[in-house]
Amino acid sequence: MNIILLLIPLSLALLALAVGAFFWAVNHAQFDDLDTPALSPLADEAGSPAPASPAADRR
């Protein structure tokens, strides 16, 4: 039963930390553009060579 006296304040402190981290992220524009970062791995870079197609290896 004494563990409840430790777990309740600990959970409230973790909740306050999570709420603080969320508001920090909102204030520092972490949620402004959610679509573009997901597309960046698909973009072609000018410096990288084009991958060979599997059909070219079979000839």
Coordinates of all heavy atoms in Angstrom, one line a residue:
M1 N 0.8 -1.2 0.0 CA 0.0 0.0 0.0 C 0.9 1.3 0.0 O 0.5 2.3 -0.5 CB -0.9 0.0 1.2 CG -1.9 1.1 1.3 SD -3.1 0.9 0.0 CE -4.1 2.3 0.2
N2 N 2.0 1.2 0.6 CA 2.9 2.3 0.6 C 3.5 2.7 -0.8 O 3.9 3.8 -1.0 CB 4.1 2.1 1.6 CG 3.6 2.1 3.0 OD1 2.6 2.7 3.3 ND2 4.3 1.4 3.9
I3 N 3.5 1.7 -1.7 CA 4.0 2.0 -3.0 C 3.1 3.0 -3.7 O 3.6 3.8 -4.6 CB 4.2 0.7 -3.8 CG1 5.0 0.9 -5.0 CG2 2.8 0.1 -4.2 CD1 6.4 1.2 -4.8
I4 N 1.8 3.1 -3.4 CA 0.9 4.0 -4.0 C 1.4 5.4 -3.7 O 1.2 6.3 -4.5 CB -0.5 3.8 -3.5 CG1 -1.0 2.4 -3.9 CG2 -1.5 4.9 -3.9 CD1 -1.2 2.3 -5.4
L5 N 1.9 5.7 -2.5 CA 2.4 7.0 -2.1 C 3.6 7.4 -3.0 O 3.8 8.6 -3.1 CB 2.7 7.0 -0.6 CG 1.6 6.7 0.3 CD1 2.1 6.7 1.8 CD2 0.5 7.8 0.2
L6 N 4.3 6.5 -3.5 CA 5.4 6.8 -4.4 C 4.9 6.9 -5.9 O 5.3 7.8 -6.6 CB 6.5 5.7 -4.3 CG 7.6 5.9 -5.2 CD1 8.5 7.1 -4.9 CD2 8.5 4.7 -5.2
L7 N 4.0 6.0 -6.3 CA 3.6 5.9 -7.7 C 2.7 7.1 -8.1 O 2.8 7.5 -9.3 CB 2.9 4.6 -8.0 CG 3.8 3.3 -7.9 CD1 3.0 2.1 -8.2 CD2 4.9 3.5 -8.9
I8 N 1.9 7.6 -7.3 CA 1.0 8.7 -7.7 C 1.8 9.9 -8.0 O 1.6 10.5 -9.0 CB -0.1 8.9 -6.7 CG1 -1.1 7.7 -6.7 CG2 -0.9 10.2 -6.9 CD1 -2.2 7.7 -5.7
P9 N 2.7 10.4 -7.1 CA 3.5 11.6 -7.4 C 4.4 11.3 -8.6 O 4.6 12.3 -9.4 CB 4.3 11.9 -6.1 CG 3.5 11.2 -5.1 CD 2.9 10.0 -5.7
L10 N 4.9 10.1 -8.7 CA 5.8 9.8 -9.9 C 5.1 9.9 -11.2 O 5.5 10.5 -12.2 CB 6.4 8.5 -9.7 CG 7.4 8.0 -10.8 CD1 8.6 8.9 -10.8 CD2 7.8 6.6 -10.5
S11 N 3.8 9.4 -11.2 CA 3.1 9.5 -12.4 C 2.6 10.9 -12.7 O 2.6 11.3 -13.9 CB 1.8 8.5 -12.3 OG 1.0 9.0 -11.3
L12 N 2.3 11.7 -11.7 CA 2.0 13.1 -12.0 C 3.2 13.9 -12.5 O 3.1 14.7 -13.3 CB 1.4 13.7 -10.7 CG 0.1 13.2 -10.2 CD1 -0.3 13.8 -8.9 CD2 -1.0 13.5 -11.3
A13 N 4.4 13.5 -12.0 CA 5.6 14.2 -12.5 C 5.9 13.8 -13.9 O 6.2 14.7 -14.8 CB 6.8 13.8 -11.6
L14 N 5.7 12.6 -14.3 CA 5.8 12.1 -15.7 C 4.8 12.7 -16.6 O 5.1 13.1 -17.8 CB 5.8 10.6 -15.8 CG 7.0 9.9 -15.2 CD1 6.8 8.4 -15.3 CD2 8.3 10.3 -15.9
L15 N 3.6 12.9 -16.1 CA 2.5 13.6 -16.9 C 2.9 15.0 -17.1 O 2.8 15.5 -18.3 CB 1.2 13.5 -16.2 CG 0.0 14.2 -16.8 CD1 -0.3 13.5 -18.2 CD2 -1.2 14.2 -15.9
A16 N 3.4 15.7 -16.1 CA 3.8 17.1 -16.3 C 5.0 17.2 -17.3 O 5.0 18.1 -18.1 CB 4.2 17.7 -14.9
L17 N 5.9 16.3 -17.2 CA 7.0 16.3 -18.2 C 6.5 16.1 -19.6 O 7.0 16.7 -20.5 CB 8.0 15.2 -17.8 CG 9.3 15.1 -18.6 CD1 10.1 16.3 -18.4 CD2 10.0 13.8 -18.2
A18 N 5.6 15.2 -19.8 CA 5.0 14.9 -21.1 C 4.3 16.1 -21.7 O 4.4 16.5 -22.8 CB 4.1 13.7 -21.1
V19 N 3.5 16.7 -20.8 CA 2.7 17.9 -21.2 C 3.7 19.1 -21.6 O 3.5 19.8 -22.6 CB 1.7 18.3 -20.2 CG1 1.1 19.7 -20.4 CG2 0.6 17.3 -20.1
G20 N 4.7 19.2 -20.8 CA 5.8 20.2 -21.0 C 6.5 20.0 -22.3 O 6.8 20.9 -23.1
A21 N 6.8 18.7 -22.6 CA 7.5 18.4 -23.9 C 6.6 18.6 -25.1 O 7.0 19.1 -26.1 CB 7.9 16.9 -23.9
F22 N 5.3 18.4 -24.9 CA 4.3 18.6 -26.0 C 4.2 20.1 -26.3 O 4.3 20.5 -27.5 CB 3.0 18.1 -25.7 CG 1.9 18.5 -26.6 CD1 1.9 17.8 -27.9 CD2 1.0 19.4 -26.3 CE1 0.9 18.2 -28.8 CE2 0.0 19.8 -27.3 CZ 0.0 19.2 -28.5
F23 N 4.1 20.9 -25.3 CA 4.0 22.4 -25.5 C 5.3 23.0 -26.0 O 5.3 23.9 -26.8 CB 3.5 23.1 -24.2 CG 2.0 23.0 -24.0 CD1 1.5 22.2 -23.0 CD2 1.2 23.6 -24.9 CE1 0.2 22.1 -22.8 CE2 -0.2 23.5 -24.7 CZ -0.7 22.7 -23.7
W24 N 6.5 22.4 -25.6 CA 7.7 22.8 -26.1 C 7.8 22.6 -27.7 O 8.2 23.4 -28.4 CB 8.9 22.1 -25.5 CG 10.2 22.5 -26.1 CD1 11.0 23.5 -25.7 CD2 10.9 21.8 -27.1 NE1 12.1 23.6 -26.5 CE2 12.1 22.5 -27.4 CE3 10.6 20.7 -27.9 CZ2 13.0 22.1 -28.4 CZ3 11.5 20.3 -28.9 CH2 12.6 21.0 -29.1
A25 N 7.3 21.4 -28.1 CA 7.3 21.0 -29.5 C 6.4 21.9 -30.3 O 6.7 22.3 -31.4 CB 6.9 19.6 -29.6
V26 N 5.2 22.3 -29.7 CA 4.3 23.1 -30.4 C 4.9 24.5 -30.6 O 4.9 25.2 -31.6 CB 3.0 23.2 -29.7 CG1 2.1 24.3 -30.3 CG2 2.3 21.8 -29.8
N27 N 5.5 25.0 -29.5 CA 6.1 26.4 -29.6 C 7.3 26.5 -30.4 O 7.7 27.6 -30.9 CB 6.5 26.9 -28.1 CG 5.3 27.2 -27.3 OD1 4.2 27.5 -27.9 ND2 5.4 27.1 -26.0
H28 N 8.0 25.4 -30.7 CA 9.2 25.4 -31.5 C 8.9 24.9 -32.9 O 9.8 24.4 -33.6 CB 10.3 24.6 -30.9 CG 10.9 25.3 -29.7 ND1 10.5 25.2 -28.4 CD2 12.0 26.1 -29.7 CE1 11.2 25.9 -27.7 NE2 12.1 26.5 -28.4
A29 N 7.7 24.9 -33.4 CA 7.2 24.6 -34.8 C 7.6 23.2 -35.2 O 7.9 23.0 -36.3 CB 7.8 25.7 -35.7
Q30 N 7.5 22.3 -34.3 CA 7.7 20.9 -34.7 C 6.6 20.2 -35.4 O 6.8 19.2 -36.1 CB 8.0 20.0 -33.4 CG 9.2 20.5 -32.7 CD 10.5 20.2 -33.4 OE1 10.7 19.2 -34.0 NE2 11.3 21.3 -33.5
F31 N 5.4 20.8 -35.4 CA 4.2 20.2 -36.0 C 3.7 21.1 -37.2 O 2.6 20.9 -37.6 CB 3.1 20.0 -35.0 CG 3.5 19.1 -33.9 CD1 3.5 19.6 -32.6 CD2 3.7 17.8 -34.1 CE1 3.9 18.8 -31.5 CE2 4.0 16.9 -33.1 CZ 4.1 17.4 -31.8
D32 N 4.5 22.0 -37.7 CA 4.1 22.9 -38.8 C 3.9 22.2 -40.1 O 2.9 22.4 -40.8 CB 5.0 24.1 -38.9 CG 4.8 25.1 -37.9 OD1 3.8 25.0 -37.1 OD2 5.7 26.0 -37.8
D33 N 4.9 21.3 -40.5 CA 4.8 20.7 -41.8 C 4.9 19.2 -41.6 O 6.0 18.7 -41.4 CB 5.9 21.2 -42.7 CG 5.8 20.7 -44.1 OD1 4.8 20.1 -44.4 OD2 6.8 20.8 -44.8
L34 N 3.8 18.5 -41.6 CA 3.8 17.1 -41.4 C 3.9 16.2 -42.6 O 4.2 15.0 -42.6 CB 2.6 16.7 -40.6 CG 2.4 17.3 -39.2 CD1 1.1 16.8 -38.6 CD2 3.6 16.9 -38.3
D35 N 3.7 16.8 -43.8 CA 3.7 16.0 -45.1 C 5.1 16.0 -45.8 O 5.5 14.9 -46.3 CB 2.7 16.6 -46.0 CG 1.3 16.5 -45.5 OD1 1.0 15.5 -44.8 OD2 0.4 17.3 -45.8
T36 N 5.8 17.1 -45.8 CA 7.0 17.1 -46.6 C 8.1 16.2 -46.0 O 8.8 15.5 -46.8 CB 7.6 18.6 -46.6 OG1 6.5 19.4 -47.2 CG2 8.8 18.7 -47.5
P37 N 8.4 16.1 -44.7 CA 9.4 15.2 -44.2 C 9.2 13.7 -44.6 O 10.1 13.0 -44.8 CB 9.4 15.4 -42.7 CG 8.9 16.7 -42.5 CD 7.9 16.9 -43.6
A38 N 7.9 13.3 -44.7 CA 7.6 11.9 -45.1 C 8.0 11.7 -46.6 O 8.3 10.5 -47.0 CB 6.2 11.6 -44.9
L39 N 8.0 12.7 -47.4 CA 8.3 12.5 -48.8 C 9.8 12.7 -49.1 O 10.3 12.4 -50.2 CB 7.5 13.6 -49.6 CG 6.0 13.4 -49.6 CD1 5.4 14.6 -50.3 CD2 5.6 12.1 -50.1
S40 N 10.6 13.2 -48.2 CA 12.0 13.4 -48.4 C 12.8 12.2 -48.8 O 13.8 12.3 -49.6 CB 12.7 14.2 -47.3 OG 12.7 13.5 -46.1
P41 N 12.6 11.0 -48.2 CA 13.3 9.8 -48.6 C 13.0 9.4 -50.0 O 13.8 8.7 -50.7 CB 12.9 8.7 -47.6 CG 12.4 9.4 -46.5 CD 11.8 10.7 -47.0
L42 N 11.9 9.8 -50.6 CA 11.5 9.4 -51.9 C 12.1 10.4 -53.0 O 12.1 10.0 -54.2 CB 10.0 9.4 -52.1 CG 9.3 8.4 -51.1 CD1 7.8 8.6 -51.2 CD2 9.8 7.0 -51.3
A43 N 12.6 11.5 -52.6 CA 13.1 12.5 -53.5 C 14.4 12.1 -54.1 O 15.3 11.5 -53.4 CB 13.2 13.9 -52.8
D44 N 14.6 12.4 -55.4 CA 15.9 12.1 -56.0 C 16.9 13.2 -55.6 O 16.6 14.4 -55.7 CB 15.7 12.1 -57.5 CG 15.0 10.9 -58.0 OD1 15.0 9.8 -57.3 OD2 14.3 10.9 -59.1
E45 N 18.1 12.8 -55.3 CA 19.1 13.7 -55.0 C 20.0 13.9 -56.2 O 20.3 12.9 -56.9 CB 20.0 13.2 -53.8 CG 19.2 13.2 -52.5 CD 20.0 12.8 -51.3 OE1 21.2 12.8 -51.5 OE2 19.4 12.4 -50.3
A46 N 20.5 15.1 -56.4 CA 21.3 15.3 -57.6 C 22.7 14.6 -57.6 O 23.2 14.2 -58.6 CB 21.5 16.8 -57.8
G47 N 23.2 14.4 -56.4 CA 24.6 13.8 -56.3 C 24.6 12.3 -56.3 O 25.6 11.7 -56.5
S48 N 23.5 11.6 -56.2 CA 23.5 10.2 -56.1 C 23.3 9.6 -57.4 O 22.5 10.0 -58.2 CB 22.4 9.7 -55.1 OG 21.2 10.0 -55.6
P49 N 24.0 8.5 -57.7 CA 23.8 7.8 -59.0 C 22.4 7.1 -59.1 O 21.9 6.7 -58.0 CB 24.9 6.8 -59.1 CG 25.3 6.6 -57.7 CD 25.0 7.9 -57.0
A50 N 21.9 7.0 -60.2 CA 20.6 6.3 -60.4 C 20.8 4.8 -60.2 O 21.8 4.2 -60.7 CB 20.0 6.5 -61.8
P51 N 19.9 4.1 -59.4 CA 20.1 2.7 -59.2 C 19.8 1.9 -60.5 O 19.0 2.3 -61.4 CB 19.0 2.3 -58.2 CG 18.0 3.4 -58.3 CD 18.8 4.7 -58.7
A52 N 20.6 0.8 -60.7 CA 20.4 0.0 -61.9 C 19.1 -0.7 -61.8 O 18.7 -1.2 -60.8 CB 21.6 -1.0 -62.0
S53 N 18.4 -0.8 -62.9 CA 17.1 -1.5 -62.9 C 17.4 -3.0 -63.0 O 18.4 -3.5 -63.5 CB 16.3 -1.1 -64.2 OG 17.0 -1.5 -65.3
P54 N 16.5 -3.8 -62.4 CA 16.7 -5.3 -62.4 C 16.7 -5.9 -63.8 O 17.3 -6.9 -64.1 CB 15.5 -5.8 -61.6 CG 15.0 -4.6 -60.8 CD 15.4 -3.4 -61.6
A55 N 16.0 -5.2 -64.7 CA 15.9 -5.7 -66.1 C 17.2 -5.6 -66.8 O 17.6 -6.4 -67.7 CB 14.8 -5.0 -66.9
A56 N 18.0 -4.6 -66.4 CA 19.3 -4.4 -67.1 C 20.3 -5.5 -66.7 O 21.2 -5.9 -67.4 CB 19.9 -3.1 -66.7
D57 N 20.1 -6.1 -65.5 CA 21.0 -7.2 -65.0 C 20.7 -8.5 -65.7 O 21.6 -9.4 -65.8 CB 20.9 -7.4 -63.5 CG 21.4 -6.2 -62.8 OD1 22.2 -5.4 -63.3 OD2 21.0 -6.0 -61.6
R58 N 19.5 -8.7 -66.2 CA 19.2 -10.0 -66.8 C 19.7 -10.1 -68.3 O 19.7 -11.2 -68.8 CB 17.6 -10.1 -66.8 CG 17.1 -10.2 -65.4 CD 15.6 -10.5 -65.4 NE 15.1 -10.3 -64.1 CZ 13.9 -9.8 -63.8 NH1 13.1 -9.5 -64.8 NH2 13.5 -9.7 -62.6
R59 N 20.0 -9.0 -68.9 CA 20.5 -9.1 -70.3 C 21.9 -9.6 -70.5 O 22.7 -9.6 -69.8 CB 20.3 -7.7 -71.0 CG 18.9 -7.3 -71.0 CD 18.8 -5.9 -71.7 NE 17.5 -5.4 -71.6 CZ 17.1 -4.2 -71.9 NH1 17.9 -3.4 -72.5 NH2 15.9 -3.8 -71.7

